[in-house]
Amino acid sequence: RDHQDPTWTSPPSYCFVAFPPRAKDGLVVFGKNSARPRDEVQEVVYFSAADHEPESKVECTYISIDQVPRTHAIVISRPAWLWGAEMGANEHGVCIANEAVSTREPAAETEALLGMDLVRLGLERGETAKEALDVIVSLLEEHGQGGNYYEDASSCHSFQSAYLIVDRDEAWVLETIGKYWAAEKVTEGVKCICNQLSLTTKMDAEHPELRNYAQSQGWWTGEDEFNFSEVFSPADDHLDCCAGKDSLEKQEESITVQTMINILRDKASGVCIDSESFLTTASIVSVLPQNRSSPCIHYFTGTPDPSRSIFKPFIFVDDVKLVPKAQSPCFGDDDPAKKEPRFQEKPDRRHELYKAHEWARAVLESGQEQGHKLRKTMLELEKQGLEAMEEILTSSDPPDLAEVGDLFYDCVDTEIKFFK
């Protein structure tokens, strides 16, 4: 492996959470920038809750596993070739995002569950953040993690994974090495995770064999205090994590949806990546009101580069209108990602929203007068959505369900028409 080649390092995604009182108005605010190979398309997909036959299986990206009797409704942002998700939420107000992390132990190339599959499985099966955590670690124990993180026939890039799992009350930071793991519970302040291990000596739950395993590898003497990141990080890793940590901690005001969007748009800090190998291909911001009578709101871009994208709101209701324009074409069993050997060709996975947005990206990059005008109008569109949501959160009346069911659909539709 050529370690100078940046694609071998884990992509620099960032995940954030802020709790009241650091976050405003009793809202928990969650966000992620998903850094992926530059040309990869992410789609935003809703799956309704479903009951499943006993003994049925679910086909994840590379392997099939036992299905559960019932899966929750979810909305996810995912690379269009795989089954799982980079980030998303379920109907119970659980949000999960993952990170590929570099650790002392190389990840298995053998096809198993991907970190992204575990994000989706946690959302489908967990009613609280803690329940989702338990789902993920028990599936890790049973099936392990491994396989190619990229749609790439020429080489297998596999990574260990970390997760930020959040609900209205608490968050869990879960970091994994193979089937081994440790987790920390967070209920206040702010937290950022990135592509390096972050847990140190405060662990609220861990794999029962974690410390024995570290000792058996010669990574821990058993004498010193057990520091997860020091034990499992690659020797050459400088644990300065996060550009993200600074962005979040130096916010003087209380943190709102808008603050989180601004942090995700920041290229100067490195949180919004736009490099030769990687691009922020999609972003999410969620607000989870601690007051249960208010709905959770999830904003997705569905397009690359948040500094040139519009965050569009989604709210779970029984009758959500599907948004095919933010969904990639489906190639069924003929998909080269599903056939072995995999990825022998790369189909065009761009959805309608992505294609319309490509025009906008080109105009914005030109930096001309037209670009400035366009940016202004895009922010104007976004602001209308944000203000409408603010109203739903502050109003004492429940929102109009029919309107809410069409919300994401209408925003995507408006955006596409506008780009045309």
Side-chain angles (χ1 to χ4, degrees):
R1 294 188 179 189
D2 171 11
H3 283 282
Q4 294 314 300
D5 173 1
T7 55
W8 288 110
T9 58
S10 39
S13 295
Y14 287 94
C15 308
F16 301 95
V17 67
F19 283 92
R22 280 295 279 121
K24 211 167 157 225
D25 304 331
L27 304 173
V28 179
V29 186
F30 163 90
K32 177 182 177 183
N33 266 353
S34 170
R36 298 282 303 169
R38 288 194 67 92
D39 58 351
E40 187 179 75
V41 176
Q42 276 198 46
E43 56 179 348
V44 178
V45 203
Y46 166 81
F47 295 96
S48 51
D51 295 308
H52 306 278
E53 293 295 313
E55 311 289 298
S56 60
K57 296 277 186 193
V58 51
E59 269 186 51
C60 303
T61 304
Y62 298 128
I63 62 168
S64 287
I65 66 171
D66 291 336
Q67 185 53 287
V68 287
R70 184 167 176 82
T71 48
H72 308 309
I74 61 169
V75 61
I76 55 176
S77 184
R78 66 170 180 191
W81 61 272
L82 54 75
W83 178 84
E86 276 282 298
M87 50 214 179
N90 71 19
E91 60 186 306
H92 302 290
V94 178
C95 295
I96 309 181
N98 78 320
E99 292 281 345
V101 285
S102 307
T103 65
R104 241 174 168 167
E105 164 131 337
E109 293 190 5
T110 316
E111 293 188 346
L113 290 174
L114 281 176
M116 287 78 86
D117 292 339
L118 289 160
V119 170
R120 177 168 172 183
L121 290 161
L123 291 171
E124 287 187 339
R125 301 176 179 200
E127 223 167 289
T128 61
K130 179 64 169 70
E131 224 172 80
L133 172 105
D134 295 338
V135 164
I136 291 172
V137 299
S138 67
L139 289 168
L140 263 182
E141 182 73 33
E142 195 179 340
H143 303 285
Q145 57 182 324
N148 204 342
Y149 261 60
Y150 301 145
E151 187 183 14
D152 179 4
S154 61
S155 54
C156 179
H157 295 76
S158 60
F159 299 101
Q160 310 287 12
S161 53
Y163 304 83
L164 182 60
I165 309 169
V166 182
D167 62 24
R168 294 178 192 251
D169 303 308
E170 61 187 34
W172 286 84
V173 175
L174 167 64
E175 299 188 337
T176 67
I177 286 107
K179 66 174 187 173
Y180 299 99
W181 58 273
E184 177 188 2
K185 178 170 153 175
V186 181
T187 52
E188 55 182 26
V190 296
K191 190 83 191 166
C192 165
I193 68 166
C194 62
N195 59 351
Q196 299 172 331
L197 298 175
S198 68
L199 299 177
T200 56
T201 53
K202 177 183 181 295
M203 289 172 283
D204 297 299
E206 63 186 80
H207 189 286
E209 291 299 312
L210 178 71
R211 296 174 193 228
N212 294 348
Y213 171 67
Q215 262 183 290
S216 72
Q217 297 292 314
W219 295 336
W220 182 52
T221 57
E223 315 274 291
D224 321 333
E225 188 176 21
F226 187 81
N227 179 318
F228 186 84
S229 295
E230 278 176 14
V231 170
F232 291 108
S233 291
D236 55 357
D237 227 9
H238 310 294
L239 297 174
D240 52 354
C241 174
C242 267
K245 200 159 152 268
D246 300 341
S247 314
L248 201 54
E249 284 173 0
K250 70 167 190 251
Q251 295 296 329
E252 317 220 320
E253 304 292 308
S254 48
I255 291 158
T256 61
V257 176
Q258 190 63 61
T259 326
M260 190 64 81
I261 290 175
N262 295 346
I263 289 173
L264 297 183
R265 282 188 168 140
D266 188 0
K267 286 194 170 156
S269 70
V271 168
C272 179
I273 189 80
D274 186 349
S275 69
E276 259 169 73
S277 323
F278 298 115
L279 182 63
T280 299
T281 53
S283 308
I284 183 177
V285 171
S286 293
V287 275
L288 315 175
Q290 289 187 317
N291 166 5
R292 290 207 163 27
S293 64
S294 286
C296 297
I297 303 174
H298 312 285
Y299 298 87
F300 291 91
T301 56
T303 54
D305 190 346
S307 71
R308 297 178 174 139
S309 290
I310 300 175
F311 283 82
K312 298 166 279 291
F314 175 97
I315 294 177
F316 283 94
V317 288
D318 287 341
D319 207 11
V320 168
K321 188 167 183 179
L322 299 178
V323 186
K325 288 177 180 171
Q327 270 176 269
S328 295
C330 179
F331 301 98
D333 291 337
D334 293 334
D335 196 314
K338 294 203 174 93
K339 295 198 279 208
E340 294 186 58
R342 299 196 197 272
F343 314 129
Q344 294 307 296
E345 47 194 275
K346 266 191 174 179
D348 181 356
R349 300 190 187 273
R350 293 172 307 161
H351 45 75
E352 270 189 66
L353 173 64
Y354 188 97
K355 287 179 179 170
H357 181 260
E358 278 181 314
W359 168 82
R361 268 163 79 195
V363 172
L364 291 167
E365 262 160 47
S366 72
Q368 303 299 317
E369 181 59 28
Q370 190 191 6
H372 295 304
K373 276 201 177 120
L374 177 61
R375 189 184 160 81
K376 220 172 127 179
T377 322
M378 284 170 73
L379 289 173
E380 207 40 55
L381 270 180
E382 181 179 270
K383 192 167 156 227
Q384 290 169 12
L386 288 166
E387 284 172 355
M389 294 307 99
E390 182 72 19
E391 215 161 289
I392 286 179
L393 289 177
T394 49
S395 153
S396 46
D397 306 322
D400 172 341
L401 292 181
E403 236 171 73
V404 169
D406 294 357
L407 187 60
F408 189 68
Y409 181 95
D410 290 342
C411 292
V412 168
D413 212 46
T414 308
E415 181 175 338
I416 291 174
K417 286 195 177 104
F418 172 70
F419 289 151
K420 286 180 176 161

